[in-house]
Amino acid sequence: MSTIPPPGEPPPPPSYPSPSGQPVYPGAWPGYPPAVPAYPTASWGQPGPAPGLIYASFWTRFLGYLIDRLLLVLVQLVITVPVLWAPVIQFYQAHPAVSGQLPPLPSDFTGRFLTVALVSAAVDALYFGGLVAWQGRTLGQMATGTSVVRAEDGGKLPPSRAFLRAIVFWGPGLASAYQVLGGFAGLVAFISLLSVAWDPRKQGWHDKLGRALVVKRVGPVPGYVP
């Protein structure tokens, strides 16, 4: 018996495996036509929230973050070397260790450490928050073909939600001026980023906080013509 539908009728929906806990077709966002979803079946991506999208995998997101962090290290070195590390080196050159003990840094270095923490946090906030609000993705995400979208409709995150989501990136830098608080903030940030690995929709805690999804756009299923 032929499976070709009568003229004017849409083709029957193909059968795709559903990720754990997710329906085969969660429902298109507003603005998407109510067409049969052309989800990819490749093992490297889970079907996403709308046709042509998959949730970005943990390793794809890790690669994007690694690129972002390397770029930011270069930027922050331009700031931290003259403001902090060069003066520290000069101080210890002028005050060598006595009996194997380095002398304590003068109190004015506390202000230098605080300045570096504030500037680093501001750079991270502008990069991970401002760039996502403006372009929908960071440079690392551009390189990996991913983007950050609103969970409810797939649009760009507004600045308030983009900066709130980015707290996992700029928060630990801000808290690093205080040793105990900085360590706790860093641990929370690490768990938040790691939680992408086991979440069904590949959302970290920070994504949930900003009500965001990180997705990758893909082509239709090979051989399927809607």
Side-chain angles (χ1 to χ4, degrees):
M1 181 176 178
S2 174
T3 58
I4 300 176
E9 291 189 12
S15 177
Y16 299 121
S18 168
S20 176
Q22 298 292 313
V24 173
Y25 185 41
W29 285 320
Y32 274 86
V36 176
Y39 281 156
T41 56
S43 60
W44 44 263
Q46 290 182 298
L53 296 178
I54 60 172
Y55 298 119
S57 69
F58 171 80
W59 289 112
T60 298
R61 294 187 61 175
F62 176 80
L63 177 60
Y65 176 70
L66 183 62
I67 294 171
D68 288 330
R69 187 49 65 188
L70 289 174
L71 291 173
L72 286 173
V73 165
L74 294 176
V75 172
Q76 291 170 347
L77 280 176
V78 176
I79 302 168
T80 57
V81 168
V83 173
L84 181 61
W85 300 120
V88 167
I89 292 172
Q90 291 171 358
F91 174 81
Y92 284 124
Q93 286 176 339
H95 303 81
V98 177
S99 301
Q101 296 292 326
L102 290 172
L105 291 169
S107 59
D108 65 301
F109 274 83
T110 301
R112 291 180 180 271
F113 279 103
L114 181 58
T115 299
V116 167
L118 291 174
V119 171
S120 297
V123 170
D124 283 347
L126 289 173
Y127 185 83
F128 289 106
L131 195 55
V132 165
W134 177 37
Q135 292 291 322
R137 51 187 180 171
T138 64
L139 296 179
Q141 289 170 330
M142 291 180 190
T144 55
T146 59
S147 56
V148 183
V149 298
R150 291 194 299 256
E152 64 270 22
D153 60 8
K156 285 183 183 179
L157 286 184
S160 59
R161 284 166 59 176
F163 281 100
L164 182 62
R165 174 185 175 272
I167 193 173
V168 72
F169 305 110
W170 59 263
L174 187 62
S176 65
Y178 305 96
Q179 188 173 2
V180 176
L181 183 60
F184 176 75
L187 177 62
V188 172
F190 175 75
I191 296 174
S192 177
L193 296 172
L194 191 62
S195 65
V196 173
W198 60 76
D199 187 85
R201 297 199 298 171
K202 301 304 176 186
Q203 280 183 303
W205 291 354
H206 56 300
D207 297 318
K208 296 178 186 295
L209 185 64
R211 304 196 306 280
L213 295 170
V214 179
V215 296
K216 185 178 181 71
R217 189 170 298 279
V218 294
V221 177
Y224 174 68
V225 179

